[in-house]
Amino acid sequence: MGSPPGSGPGAPPPADGVAERRLHPVTPLRRAWAPIAVLVGWAVHDPDQAQRQLTRLTTAHLLIGLAVLIPAAALYGFLTWWFTHYAVTDTELRIRTGLLFRRTAHIRLERIQAIDVTQPLLARVAGVAKLKLDVIGTGKKDELAFLGADEARALRAELLARAAGFAPETAHEVGEAPARQLLRVPPGVLAVSLLLTGATWGTLLAAAVVPTLLWLATHNLWTVLATALPLVGAAGANSAGRFVAEYDWTVAESPDGLRIDHGLLDRVHETVPPGRVQTVRIVEPLLWRRRRWVRVELDVAGSSNSVLLPVAPREIAESVVVRVLPGVTVPTGPELSRPPRRAARCRPVWWRGHGLAVTDAVFAARHGLLRRSLALVPHAKVQSVRLTQGPWRRALRLADVTVDTGANKTVSARLRDADEAARLLRSQAERSRTGRRDAPPDRWMA
């Protein structure tokens, strides 16, 4: 049986009986940019002063500056790498960092709910990867950057095994749980879906209309270009950025949750934690309806994972939603009750986009007429429920019922009849209590 990843002759001596490990030797190259980033930040903050200082520099001064800056940056990168260690104990992951001010993070294994493996483009070339940890109760991800690609996967599997309750002496032998691919989004489908997104066309329309109006008003070419170029760039960057980030989107099922791999330049390996999904949203843009395409988004407690499917046929998307929310049937249009007709006095025309369905498993609310969004909240994930009613809605006997989830998000059933809303308030509170009592515990690889 081999030694754990990162241990061996080059590893630092054990601390408290636990062998500490170092990051990959390529890491100093990443840390060395910090002093240079400080200079760049100063130049951006005070460009006039920076320009005056640069005009005073001679060739000799510049060479001397480089001769000092490059070794200093290299030394800083090496020292920060040298003083960074991590260790896996029976109960926690410890990360010690800091050159002048020491910081030790103690991450309880049972509070780890997701571990993502990311590989930026240069990291892929160097054969290294970054581990990002989603921990309950923290808003920011802790990370280990960088580890060897194989070492990162082995450490991820070991941490998940220990979080699942495997004994420390056998956790590193468990390996990564097998996965079964559920679907892969073809690049062509992704590209067409982005072209059929209303935000892209709205930005392009603004790029055509606004500069034209400015030209008619000012006849100033520079004003027109200063307005048109950012708008065209925003439309292209938004679509191109999403295409690059969501390229080769693959969803697979494994005992530790749904695994998501995606990215053209930067590859990301994410896991949707079992039992941590608070809300699932099925989004249906107007131009996608003819093709019956939808986008599936998530709210996960303590995690930044927000997309489950960038685009997929509705039937396939619903089959994946069932994997995330076992036992849930996605309500269809006829099953969603609309607000009463008097709601048109509050929101003419748009009131028809609201709908509500409450099943034994979920609280489902829909909103939107052009861009429909159906939110599904399991009863066990509802933290609180409240009824709101302004003066005008009180006069029309209308009210909104809002549920709060563990991801600090809300879902509202709007423009409901006041009596119906009062009944829903009481019944939803009882469903939430019952759901939390009967919900199975959140465990890895359960």
Side-chain angles (χ1 to χ4, degrees), residues 305-320:
N305 296 347
S306 60
V307 180
L308 179 60
L309 291 174
V311 57
R314 188 178 187 91
E315 294 77 12
I316 296 177
E318 291 181 358
S319 68
V320 176

mmCIF file with all atom_site columns, all heavy atoms in Angstrom, residues 305-320:
data_model
loop_
_atom_site.group_PDB
_atom_site.id
_atom_site.type_symbol
_atom_site.label_atom_id
_atom_site.label_alt_id
_atom_site.label_comp_id
_atom_site.label_asym_id
_atom_site.label_entity_id
_atom_site.label_seq_id
_atom_site.pdbx_PDB_ins_code
_atom_site.Cartn_x
_atom_site.Cartn_y
_atom_site.Cartn_z
_atom_site.occupancy
_atom_site.B_iso_or_equiv
_atom_site.pdbx_formal_charge
_atom_site.auth_seq_id
_atom_site.auth_comp_id
_atom_site.auth_asym_id
_atom_site.auth_atom_id
_atom_site.pdbx_PDB_model_num
ATOM 1   N N   . ASN A 1 305 ? -22.642 26.558 -6.746  1.00 0.00 ? 305 ASN A N   1
ATOM 2   C CA  . ASN A 1 305 ? -23.201 25.836 -7.891  1.00 0.00 ? 305 ASN A CA  1
ATOM 3   C C   . ASN A 1 305 ? -24.609 26.352 -8.165  1.00 0.00 ? 305 ASN A C   1
ATOM 4   O O   . ASN A 1 305 ? -25.488 26.269 -7.316  1.00 0.00 ? 305 ASN A O   1
ATOM 5   C CB  . ASN A 1 305 ? -23.252 24.333 -7.607  1.00 0.00 ? 305 ASN A CB  1
ATOM 6   C CG  . ASN A 1 305 ? -21.871 23.726 -7.418  1.00 0.00 ? 305 ASN A CG  1
ATOM 7   O OD1 . ASN A 1 305 ? -20.876 24.358 -7.725  1.00 0.00 ? 305 ASN A OD1 1
ATOM 8   N ND2 . ASN A 1 305 ? -21.827 22.516 -6.906  1.00 0.00 ? 305 ASN A ND2 1
ATOM 9   N N   . SER A 1 306 ? -24.853 26.883 -9.361  1.00 0.00 ? 306 SER A N   1
ATOM 10  C CA  . SER A 1 306 ? -26.150 27.498 -9.639  1.00 0.00 ? 306 SER A CA  1
ATOM 11  C C   . SER A 1 306 ? -26.807 26.977 -10.900 1.00 0.00 ? 306 SER A C   1
ATOM 12  O O   . SER A 1 306 ? -27.967 27.292 -11.144 1.00 0.00 ? 306 SER A O   1
ATOM 13  C CB  . SER A 1 306 ? -25.990 29.028 -9.749  1.00 0.00 ? 306 SER A CB  1
ATOM 14  O OG  . SER A 1 306 ? -25.101 29.352 -10.801 1.00 0.00 ? 306 SER A OG  1
ATOM 15  N N   . VAL A 1 307 ? -26.115 26.205 -11.724 1.00 0.00 ? 307 VAL A N   1
ATOM 16  C CA  . VAL A 1 307 ? -26.679 25.692 -12.966 1.00 0.00 ? 307 VAL A CA  1
ATOM 17  C C   . VAL A 1 307 ? -26.560 24.177 -12.964 1.00 0.00 ? 307 VAL A C   1
ATOM 18  O O   . VAL A 1 307 ? -25.482 23.629 -12.719 1.00 0.00 ? 307 VAL A O   1
ATOM 19  C CB  . VAL A 1 307 ? -25.963 26.278 -14.207 1.00 0.00 ? 307 VAL A CB  1
ATOM 20  C CG1 . VAL A 1 307 ? -26.567 25.715 -15.485 1.00 0.00 ? 307 VAL A CG1 1
ATOM 21  C CG2 . VAL A 1 307 ? -26.049 27.793 -14.206 1.00 0.00 ? 307 VAL A CG2 1
ATOM 22  N N   . LEU A 1 308 ? -27.661 23.522 -13.244 1.00 0.00 ? 308 LEU A N   1
ATOM 23  C CA  . LEU A 1 308 ? -27.648 22.070 -13.407 1.00 0.00 ? 308 LEU A CA  1
ATOM 24  C C   . LEU A 1 308 ? -27.596 21.703 -14.881 1.00 0.00 ? 308 LEU A C   1
ATOM 25  O O   . LEU A 1 308 ? -26.837 20.819 -15.277 1.00 0.00 ? 308 LEU A O   1
ATOM 26  C CB  . LEU A 1 308 ? -28.882 21.455 -12.745 1.00 0.00 ? 308 LEU A CB  1
ATOM 27  C CG  . LEU A 1 308 ? -29.023 19.932 -12.859 1.00 0.00 ? 308 LEU A CG  1
ATOM 28  C CD1 . LEU A 1 308 ? -27.833 19.236 -12.216 1.00 0.00 ? 308 LEU A CD1 1
ATOM 29  C CD2 . LEU A 1 308 ? -30.322 19.460 -12.230 1.00 0.00 ? 308 LEU A CD2 1
ATOM 30  N N   . LEU A 1 309 ? -28.397 22.389 -15.702 1.00 0.00 ? 309 LEU A N   1
ATOM 31  C CA  . LEU A 1 309 ? -28.419 22.152 -17.149 1.00 0.00 ? 309 LEU A CA  1
ATOM 32  C C   . LEU A 1 309 ? -28.496 23.500 -17.856 1.00 0.00 ? 309 LEU A C   1
ATOM 33  O O   . LEU A 1 309 ? -29.448 24.252 -17.631 1.00 0.00 ? 309 LEU A O   1
ATOM 34  C CB  . LEU A 1 309 ? -29.622 21.297 -17.541 1.00 0.00 ? 309 LEU A CB  1
ATOM 35  C CG  . LEU A 1 309 ? -29.633 19.834 -17.088 1.00 0.00 ? 309 LEU A CG  1
ATOM 36  C CD1 . LEU A 1 309 ? -30.973 19.193 -17.437 1.00 0.00 ? 309 LEU A CD1 1
ATOM 37  C CD2 . LEU A 1 309 ? -28.499 19.065 -17.729 1.00 0.00 ? 309 LEU A CD2 1
ATOM 38  N N   . PRO A 1 310 ? -27.543 23.844 -18.719 1.00 0.00 ? 310 PRO A N   1
ATOM 39  C CA  . PRO A 1 310 ? -27.649 25.103 -19.447 1.00 0.00 ? 310 PRO A CA  1
ATOM 40  C C   . PRO A 1 310 ? -28.759 25.090 -20.482 1.00 0.00 ? 310 PRO A C   1
ATOM 41  O O   . PRO A 1 310 ? -29.405 26.104 -20.720 1.00 0.00 ? 310 PRO A O   1
ATOM 42  C CB  . PRO A 1 310 ? -26.272 25.256 -20.097 1.00 0.00 ? 310 PRO A CB  1
ATOM 43  C CG  . PRO A 1 310 ? -25.747 23.867 -20.188 1.00 0.00 ? 310 PRO A CG  1
ATOM 44  C CD  . PRO A 1 310 ? -26.300 23.124 -19.018 1.00 0.00 ? 310 PRO A CD  1
ATOM 45  N N   . VAL A 1 311 ? -29.017 23.933 -21.101 1.00 0.00 ? 311 VAL A N   1
ATOM 46  C CA  . VAL A 1 311 ? -30.112 23.777 -22.052 1.00 0.00 ? 311 VAL A CA  1
ATOM 47  C C   . VAL A 1 311 ? -30.332 22.277 -22.264 1.00 0.00 ? 311 VAL A C   1
ATOM 48  O O   . VAL A 1 311 ? -29.384 21.494 -22.326 1.00 0.00 ? 311 VAL A O   1
ATOM 49  C CB  . VAL A 1 311 ? -29.797 24.473 -23.404 1.00 0.00 ? 311 VAL A CB  1
ATOM 50  C CG1 . VAL A 1 311 ? -28.508 23.942 -24.017 1.00 0.00 ? 311 VAL A CG1 1
ATOM 51  C CG2 . VAL A 1 311 ? -30.952 24.340 -24.372 1.00 0.00 ? 311 VAL A CG2 1
ATOM 52  N N   . ALA A 1 312 ? -31.600 21.893 -22.337 1.00 0.00 ? 312 ALA A N   1
ATOM 53  C CA  . ALA A 1 312 ? -31.944 20.487 -22.551 1.00 0.00 ? 312 ALA A CA  1
ATOM 54  C C   . ALA A 1 312 ? -33.424 20.396 -22.896 1.00 0.00 ? 312 ALA A C   1
ATOM 55  O O   . ALA A 1 312 ? -34.212 21.272 -22.516 1.00 0.00 ? 312 ALA A O   1
ATOM 56  C CB  . ALA A 1 312 ? -31.651 19.643 -21.305 1.00 0.00 ? 312 ALA A CB  1
ATOM 57  N N   . PRO A 1 313 ? -33.840 19.367 -23.646 1.00 0.00 ? 313 PRO A N   1
ATOM 58  C CA  . PRO A 1 313 ? -35.269 19.152 -23.851 1.00 0.00 ? 313 PRO A CA  1
ATOM 59  C C   . PRO A 1 313 ? -35.985 18.985 -22.514 1.00 0.00 ? 313 PRO A C   1
ATOM 60  O O   . PRO A 1 313 ? -35.420 18.443 -21.557 1.00 0.00 ? 313 PRO A O   1
ATOM 61  C CB  . PRO A 1 313 ? -35.308 17.857 -24.669 1.00 0.00 ? 313 PRO A CB  1
ATOM 62  C CG  . PRO A 1 313 ? -33.982 17.787 -25.342 1.00 0.00 ? 313 PRO A CG  1
ATOM 63  C CD  . PRO A 1 313 ? -33.011 18.400 -24.376 1.00 0.00 ? 313 PRO A CD  1
ATOM 64  N N   . ARG A 1 314 ? -37.204 19.476 -22.460 1.00 0.00 ? 314 ARG A N   1
ATOM 65  C CA  . ARG A 1 314 ? -37.924 19.505 -21.183 1.00 0.00 ? 314 ARG A CA  1
ATOM 66  C C   . ARG A 1 314 ? -38.059 18.112 -20.569 1.00 0.00 ? 314 ARG A C   1
ATOM 67  O O   . ARG A 1 314 ? -37.894 17.944 -19.353 1.00 0.00 ? 314 ARG A O   1
ATOM 68  C CB  . ARG A 1 314 ? -39.305 20.121 -21.387 1.00 0.00 ? 314 ARG A CB  1
ATOM 69  C CG  . ARG A 1 314 ? -40.039 20.361 -20.068 1.00 0.00 ? 314 ARG A CG  1
ATOM 70  C CD  . ARG A 1 314 ? -41.385 21.005 -20.255 1.00 0.00 ? 314 ARG A CD  1
ATOM 71  N NE  . ARG A 1 314 ? -41.960 21.348 -18.964 1.00 0.00 ? 314 ARG A NE  1
ATOM 72  C CZ  . ARG A 1 314 ? -41.797 22.518 -18.353 1.00 0.00 ? 314 ARG A CZ  1
ATOM 73  N NH1 . ARG A 1 314 ? -41.087 23.462 -18.923 1.00 0.00 ? 314 ARG A NH1 1
ATOM 74  N NH2 . ARG A 1 314 ? -42.344 22.751 -17.172 1.00 0.00 ? 314 ARG A NH2 1
ATOM 75  N N   . GLU A 1 315 ? -38.347 17.090 -21.365 1.00 0.00 ? 315 GLU A N   1
ATOM 76  C CA  . GLU A 1 315 ? -38.526 15.747 -20.820 1.00 0.00 ? 315 GLU A CA  1
ATOM 77  C C   . GLU A 1 315 ? -37.243 15.246 -20.166 1.00 0.00 ? 315 GLU A C   1
ATOM 78  O O   . GLU A 1 315 ? -37.270 14.661 -19.073 1.00 0.00 ? 315 GLU A O   1
ATOM 79  C CB  . GLU A 1 315 ? -38.964 14.775 -21.926 1.00 0.00 ? 315 GLU A CB  1
ATOM 80  C CG  . GLU A 1 315 ? -40.340 15.047 -22.503 1.00 0.00 ? 315 GLU A CG  1
ATOM 81  C CD  . GLU A 1 315 ? -40.351 16.231 -23.472 1.00 0.00 ? 315 GLU A CD  1
ATOM 82  O OE1 . GLU A 1 315 ? -39.243 16.683 -23.854 1.00 0.00 ? 315 GLU A OE1 1
ATOM 83  O OE2 . GLU A 1 315 ? -41.445 16.698 -23.830 1.00 0.00 ? 315 GLU A OE2 1
ATOM 84  N N   . ILE A 1 316 ? -36.112 15.491 -20.823 1.00 0.00 ? 316 ILE A N   1
ATOM 85  C CA  . ILE A 1 316 ? -34.834 15.052 -20.253 1.00 0.00 ? 316 ILE A CA  1
ATOM 86  C C   . ILE A 1 316 ? -34.516 15.861 -19.002 1.00 0.00 ? 316 ILE A C   1
ATOM 87  O O   . ILE A 1 316 ? -34.037 15.319 -18.001 1.00 0.00 ? 316 ILE A O   1
ATOM 88  C CB  . ILE A 1 316 ? -33.712 15.177 -21.298 1.00 0.00 ? 316 ILE A CB  1
ATOM 89  C CG1 . ILE A 1 316 ? -33.984 14.239 -22.473 1.00 0.00 ? 316 ILE A CG1 1
ATOM 90  C CG2 . ILE A 1 316 ? -32.357 14.887 -20.686 1.00 0.00 ? 316 ILE A CG2 1
ATOM 91  C CD1 . ILE A 1 316 ? -32.968 14.337 -23.590 1.00 0.00 ? 316 ILE A CD1 1
ATOM 92  N N   . ALA A 1 317 ? -34.783 17.152 -19.052 1.00 0.00 ? 317 ALA A N   1
ATOM 93  C CA  . ALA A 1 317 ? -34.511 18.004 -17.893 1.00 0.00 ? 317 ALA A CA  1
ATOM 94  C C   . ALA A 1 317 ? -35.311 17.548 -16.680 1.00 0.00 ? 317 ALA A C   1
ATOM 95  O O   . ALA A 1 317 ? -34.790 17.500 -15.558 1.00 0.00 ? 317 ALA A O   1
ATOM 96  C CB  . ALA A 1 317 ? -34.831 19.456 -18.234 1.00 0.00 ? 317 ALA A CB  1
ATOM 97  N N   . GLU A 1 318 ? -36.575 17.207 -16.885 1.00 0.00 ? 318 GLU A N   1
ATOM 98  C CA  . GLU A 1 318 ? -37.397 16.761 -15.764 1.00 0.00 ? 318 GLU A CA  1
ATOM 99  C C   . GLU A 1 318 ? -36.891 15.437 -15.194 1.00 0.00 ? 318 GLU A C   1
ATOM 100 O O   . GLU A 1 318 ? -36.969 15.210 -13.986 1.00 0.00 ? 318 GLU A O   1
ATOM 101 C CB  . GLU A 1 318 ? -38.848 16.636 -16.208 1.00 0.00 ? 318 GLU A CB  1
ATOM 102 C CG  . GLU A 1 318 ? -39.508 17.999 -16.498 1.00 0.00 ? 318 GLU A CG  1
ATOM 103 C CD  . GLU A 1 318 ? -40.961 17.862 -16.906 1.00 0.00 ? 318 GLU A CD  1
ATOM 104 O OE1 . GLU A 1 318 ? -41.443 16.712 -16.994 1.00 0.00 ? 318 GLU A OE1 1
ATOM 105 O OE2 . GLU A 1 318 ? -41.624 18.897 -17.119 1.00 0.00 ? 318 GLU A OE2 1
ATOM 106 N N   . SER A 1 319 ? -36.357 14.567 -16.056 1.00 0.00 ? 319 SER A N   1
ATOM 107 C CA  . SER A 1 319 ? -35.809 13.310 -15.547 1.00 0.00 ? 319 SER A CA  1
ATOM 108 C C   . SER A 1 319 ? -34.565 13.541 -14.701 1.00 0.00 ? 319 SER A C   1
ATOM 109 O O   . SER A 1 319 ? -34.299 12.791 -13.753 1.00 0.00 ? 319 SER A O   1
ATOM 110 C CB  . SER A 1 319 ? -35.474 12.377 -16.720 1.00 0.00 ? 319 SER A CB  1
ATOM 111 O OG  . SER A 1 319 ? -34.393 12.881 -17.491 1.00 0.00 ? 319 SER A OG  1
ATOM 112 N N   . VAL A 1 320 ? -33.786 14.589 -15.014 1.00 0.00 ? 320 VAL A N   1
ATOM 113 C CA  . VAL A 1 320 ? -32.623 14.924 -14.195 1.00 0.00 ? 320 VAL A CA  1
ATOM 114 C C   . VAL A 1 320 ? -33.061 15.583 -12.892 1.00 0.00 ? 320 VAL A C   1
ATOM 115 O O   . VAL A 1 320 ? -32.473 15.339 -11.833 1.00 0.00 ? 320 VAL A O   1
ATOM 116 C CB  . VAL A 1 320 ? -31.669 15.839 -14.980 1.00 0.00 ? 320 VAL A CB  1
ATOM 117 C CG1 . VAL A 1 320 ? -30.499 16.269 -14.104 1.00 0.00 ? 320 VAL A CG1 1
ATOM 118 C CG2 . VAL A 1 320 ? -31.139 15.122 -16.217 1.00 0.00 ? 320 VAL A CG2 1
#
